[in-house]
Amino acid sequence: MTGTHDGAPAPEDVLLALADPIRRQILGALVGEGGATSTSLAAALPVTRQAVAKHLAVLDRAGLVRGRRTGREVRYEAHLQPLERATRWLNALAAQWDRRLDAIKDIAEREEPS
């Protein structure tokens, strides 16, 4: 993972973590349930608890989940600030491309047909 100069996860780290459909399901479940353990997540997914734990580690490195030990288990909760940051980055990138495409369109429309 790359991170940024301020220690926050870089947008590409967040996007890489979300590239896997199981990780997206895990994050969705954490958002919907307000938190869960790897055991309870595995019960609802087609993967083992160990696989869920590995996926949670990836999501944790991307800053998308936070784990809190309660007794013998770790309860994970979604942390969506890195996702919001990645969304802002994608929106800025899309706006940049829109401006470039508008400029190309303007040039094409100004040219007189031969």
Side-chain angles (χ1 to χ4, degrees):
M1 303 252 162
T2 57
T4 60
H5 65 280
D6 62 0
E12 58 268 24
D13 295 336
V14 173
L15 295 174
L16 183 62
L18 294 175
D20 186 278
I22 295 293
R23 288 195 285 270
R24 289 193 304 270
Q25 283 182 289
I26 290 170
L27 190 61
L30 292 174
V31 169
E33 297 173 22
T37 64
S38 58
T39 303
S40 64
L41 288 165
L45 294 168
V47 294
T48 64
R49 189 195 63 74
Q50 291 82 4
V52 169
K54 289 180 181 182
H55 284 298
L56 284 165
V58 173
L59 291 168
D60 185 45
R61 283 193 303 273
L64 293 167
V65 300
R66 290 186 178 156
R68 187 180 74 240
R69 183 164 291 284
T70 53
R72 291 181 21 191
E73 293 189 311
V74 177
R75 184 164 183 82
Y76 291 89
E77 294 180 352
H79 179 66
L80 300 180
Q81 187 176 10
L83 182 58
E84 293 163 0
R85 186 179 192 161
T87 300
R88 287 192 303 273
W89 177 80
L90 285 170
N91 287 337
L93 185 63
Q96 216 174 26
W97 275 102
D98 285 344
R99 287 191 298 276
R100 288 178 180 177
L101 292 172
D102 286 342
I104 292 170
K105 179 182 173 196
D106 290 344
I107 290 169
E109 289 175 348
R110 275 188 271 146
E111 290 182 5
E112 293 186 26
S114 318

